[in-house]
Structures are given as C-alpha cells and as structure tokens.
Amino acid sequence: MARTYLIRTFGCQMNEHDSERIAGLLESDGMEATDDLESADVVVLNTCCIRENADNKLYGHLGHLKSLKDRNPGLQIAVAGCLAQKDREMIQQRAPHADVVFGTHNVASAVTLLDRARAEGPVMEILEESEAFPSALPARRDVPWAAWVTIQIGCDNACAFCIVPSVRGREISRAPGEVVAEVERLATAGTIEVTLLGQNVNSYGRDITRRGPLFSSLLRSVGAVDGIRRVRWTSPHPKDLRPETIDAMAEVPAVCEHLHLPLQSGSDRILAAMHRGYTAERYLQKLASARASVPDLAVTTDIIVGFPGETDDDFAATLEVVAEAGYDSAYTFLYSPRTGTEAATRTADFVAPEVVAERFDRLKVVVERSALARHQARIGRVEEVVVEGSSRKDASVLTGRTRQNKLLHFPSAPLGAGTFATVRVTGAAPHHLRGELVAVTARPRHRSRIPVSAAE
Ligand code: SAH
Ligand code: SF4
Ligand code: F3S
C-alpha cells in the first residue's frame, strides 16, 4: 500500500504553490495524498510568519500533532516554509517531535530529508538562497483549470514592517521563455486560467535586463498562449506599476480586469516611514490612470492599521484615500511587529491595542460600504464566470468566479468545474454577488485531474 501524506498550508499564494511542489515531489516518490490526519504517514506544515498570529497558529498545530504522534510513532512531521526559515532551531526546541524542518529554499530536498530523518532521526536544512529556480520542480495542482505560475521569487524592497525579504531572499526572476513554456504546457493539459506570482511582479526582469519593461511583455506573451482565457497576476508594488503594464492589461483580452494594488496607508508620513516609495496622491494618480485605460477595472488592496507612530490624523488620511479609491475589497491587517524588521524596533511609537482595534473596526465599515456599492453597481449586468463548484451551504447553488475575481452564486443544475457560463447579476453583498444563469458558453477542456508533471 502506498504511503500517504497530508499538507497543511498557512501562507500566501506563493506558499500554496510551494505546497503544490512539495506534493508533486512526494507523489513522484510514490506517495498518495490523504485527507485523513489520523492515518497519514507524513504531515507537512507549510508555514507563514507574516504576522504574529501566523506563528501562534503553527505552534498550536504542532502541539496538536504531538498527541497524534504519541499514538502513531511511525508518523513523520515536517515543518516547511517561512516560519521554518525564520525560527529554525526554535521549532526543534519547541517541538522536538518534528522530524524535519526545512526552509523556503529547500523545497527540492523534501523527499531526501524525510528519508534521512527515517534513518537518522530529526533533521533540519535551511539554505539562505535557492540553488535552482523552484519552478523546475514537479507540481501537483489540485484545480485542473487554473494554475499558479511563479515568475519571480524573493523581494528586494525594504518595507519597514515586512519580514518577507528576510525569509524569501533576494529577488530572482525566472526567464520569460521558461514562464511561457510552462504556461503552454499547462494550456495543452486544459488549463484556461493562470495567475503569475511574485512579491513585486512590477520589477520582474530587473535582474535579467535593464532594457525595457519585461513584465508587460510577459503579460502579452502569456496572454497570447493558445487556450489561456484568463491571466491574473499578483502582487504589484504601486511604486513600480508602469504605464506599459496598464497598456498590456487594457490591450490583451485574456488579462483580467482586476488590479490588486496594496496601499498600506493613506498618510504620506506613514508611507515614508514604511519606505513604500509613493505618496497617497501618486498612488491615486496611478489608480486613476489604470481605471481610465482599463474599463470595468476591479481594484483590491492591503491596508495595515496601527503602524508605529500612526496618529488619528494619519488614520483619517487612510480613511479618505480608501473612500476615494473605491475598492472592491480590501485585506485589512492589524500591525504586527516582526523581530528583525525596522518598524519592530520602534517600540516607543507602538500604538495602543485598543486604539488600533477601534481604528480597524472603523476601516472595515468604510471598506465594506465601498465594496457593497461597487457590487450593487453590477446588478443587471451579465458576467462571464468560470464555475468552481457548488456552494458549501446549498448544492443547488453553483459558485463561479468573474473576470474581476468576484464570487458569483447562482442556482443551476450541476455544471462541471471549469465550465464557462454567463450569469446575470441580481443581488449584491460586500463579499459576493448573486445571479441567474443565462447560458453555458464553454465546457471544461481539462482532464479530470492534471497529472503530476515535471515543469521541464
Ligand atoms: N509583496 C506584497 C505583500 C506581501 S505581504 C506587496 O508588497 O504588496 C501581504 C500583506 O501583508 C502586505 O501587503 C501587508 O499589508 C501585510 N503585512 C505585511 N507585514 C505585516 C505586518 N508586520 N503587520 C501587519 N500586516 C503586514
Ligand atoms: Fe514585503 Fe514590501 Fe516586499 Fe511586499 S514589497 S514583500 S510588503 S518588503
Ligand atoms: Fe507568504 Fe507568509 Fe511567507 S505571506 S511569503 S507565506 S511569510
């Protein structure tokens, strides 16, 4: 009987895609996925450390796995990802029952490390830099019609609050030819949607050539791949968002009408202290030019509340920018000090938790009002959706994703995941739309599950 594995993923899309690679490697080694924690032979926790509660979650999980391992001593526990990269020995100290700890640059060694731990006992491997671009590894993708494609790893920015550069390393771009080749392979297997991934995709290619805006030409090449009907990408840094990228969004039909443009704060003073490299006005100008070029653009953002030194006036400026930007949705975060980052040293400027909590609630109200208004404005329109499956609450209601990346629920007989349909919007809520089916426009082309395949 094949040995089984289960992977729990805690982080962002890059972390999720790393989990797909770990799964791909384990399956290439003959293992099979399982959902049953009790019977799994290997459990991998792919961790995140962007905020403190992400750390706490992991240690909570490890505690839980201890009792499982007491009952099933053959179980192997591996801790991977950004928290492993950051905490290293501390994980082994706090959780001696972890068999393997490996960092963000060691995904390729997952199988070897598990084998070694079986023979020799607990092992840890943390490299400071990747030896090969991780996309050369096989990936086991759960969803056959849509795929993440890494175009860049690491981050060369120095946002004062952010731990990512220290756990993901310096920025390295993947050669455009390799990206396009992977997208072509995916399209041949029936994938119709790709999301290009990087921490700062607008600086994509800066390490390859000083000439020309490589990201916009990459968008054009990927958008031209036969069979690819939707191209998404994340995240852009506002300071590096170039007119050429907006032009490519406007001109390439496959590139979706959605821009995730992280604001972080609306106060120029705070933006400067964060080292974000733009002012609120500059940000709004870029947004306005994107909206002018790309009709029907949905805009989403990330905002941090309570950055050290944030005053009532700074926060009021954030509320103003949020109201003016008219976001379709926003991820809002409580500032969380991360050891090793510049902002975490400014302890005297930390904002009192009750003040932060109160600002956070006020921001949420403004964001939800804006999201609801944007969604209500879509009532009566006919949207193209890709069906993702039936709704969790009601099997007779299907959920589709619009080009603007919104969830649209509509009653229908079952349609296969990956089906294209048109749906008239009839209702709106801050986090989703409701509608009625107009027509099925294309049946899925993919095989039921994409087999594990080496990227090269
Ligand atoms: N590279 C992306 C962001 C990745 S992290 C970018 O620059 O847009 C995702 C989001 O987490 C950030 O946009 C920020 O809003 C939030 N974040 C990062 N560090 C944080 C911290 N220390 N406390 C609270 N939120 C944080
Ligand atoms: Fe972090 Fe800034 Fe890099 Fe984004 S751009 S990953 S926020 S340092
Ligand atoms: Fe992503 Fe969390 Fe790492 S947001 S890059 S998994 S710290």
Side-chain angles (χ1 to χ4, degrees), residues 155 157-159 161-162 164-165 199-200 237 264 276:
C155 177
N157 288 317
C159 301
F161 50 81
C162 184
V164 170
Q199 289 293 356
N200 181 14
H237 192 300
Q264 313 301 1
R276 289 291 288 178

Side-chain angles (χ1 to χ4, degrees), residues 276-357:
R276 289 291 288 178
Y278 52 86
T279 59
E281 191 186 345
R282 191 81 193 95
Y283 175 96
L284 287 169
Q285 277 166 357
K286 291 212 181 192
L287 191 54
S289 83
R291 285 202 198 277
S293 303
V294 186
D296 211 22
L297 184 68
V299 181
T300 58
T301 200
D302 294 345
I303 298 166
I304 297 177
V305 179
F307 183 82
E310 184 186 79
T311 62
D312 283 339
D313 284 352
D314 293 319
F315 179 67
T318 297
L319 290 184
E320 268 173 46
V321 176
V322 169
E324 189 167 342
Y327 294 116
D328 291 78
S329 83
Y331 297 95
T332 50
F333 304 108
L334 304 171
Y335 169 71
S336 171
R338 305 280 61 204
T339 306
T341 61
E342 184 189 317
T345 62
R346 294 180 50 192
T347 45
D349 296 328
F350 282 3
V351 183
E354 60 280 9
V355 175
V356 182

Side-chain angles (χ1 to χ4, degrees), residues 9-16 18 46-51 54 81-83 104 162-164 167-168 199:
T9 307
F10 296 84
C12 62
Q13 287 139 317
M14 280 154 248
N15 195 243
E16 297 248 9
D18 285 344
N46 193 11
T47 62
C48 172
C49 58
I50 195 84
R51 286 168 289 275
C82 293
L83 186 74
T104 55
C162 184
I163 190 100
V164 170
V167 291
R168 287 277 169 173
Q199 289 293 356

Side-chain angles (χ1 to χ4, degrees), residues 42-208:
V42 170
V43 173
V44 182
L45 304 178
N46 193 11
T47 62
C48 172
C49 58
I50 195 84
R51 286 168 289 275
E52 194 181 352
N53 54 8
D55 293 20
N56 296 340
K57 236 193 251 172
L58 185 263
Y59 287 112
H61 252 81
L62 275 173
H64 182 71
L65 286 179
K66 166 105 181 47
S67 54
L68 195 62
K69 190 156 173 151
D70 289 343
R71 272 178 280 141
N72 170 14
L75 168 71
Q76 281 196 295
I77 300 169
V79 183
C82 293
L83 186 74
Q85 188 78 25
K86 172 170 87 74
D87 279 2
R88 304 173 181 216
E89 289 83 6
M90 212 213 302
I91 295 181
Q92 290 185 315
Q93 279 158 21
R94 288 180 67 170
H97 54 292
D99 298 274
V100 176
V101 177
F102 64 100
T104 55
H105 304 290
N106 303 82
V107 168
S109 318
V111 169
T112 323
L113 292 171
L114 285 165
D115 287 348
R116 233 174 70 200
R118 259 198 305 280
E120 300 167 14
V123 294
M124 179 168 81
E125 193 177 279
I126 314 269
L127 282 174
E128 296 310 325
E129 290 213 349
S130 296
E131 281 159 358
F133 203 93
S135 289
L137 303 176
R140 183 240 199 248
R141 292 176 156 102
D142 266 339
V143 178
W145 69 91
W148 286 309
V149 176
T150 311
I151 66 167
Q152 175 195 55
I153 54 170
C155 177
D156 280 351
N157 288 317
C159 301
F161 50 81
C162 184
I163 190 100
V164 170
S166 75
V167 291
R168 287 277 169 173
R170 71 191 163 90
E171 218 166 274
I172 305 174
S173 303
R174 187 174 176 204
E178 267 183 45
V179 174
V180 174
E182 181 174 0
V183 174
E184 283 170 347
R185 270 192 303 273
L186 287 164
T188 307
T191 296
I192 45 94
E193 173 173 325
V194 289
T195 303
L196 307 180
L197 290 182
Q199 289 293 356
N200 181 14
V201 293
N202 292 113
S203 64
Y204 168 76
R206 197 156 58 178
D207 51 331
I208 299 178

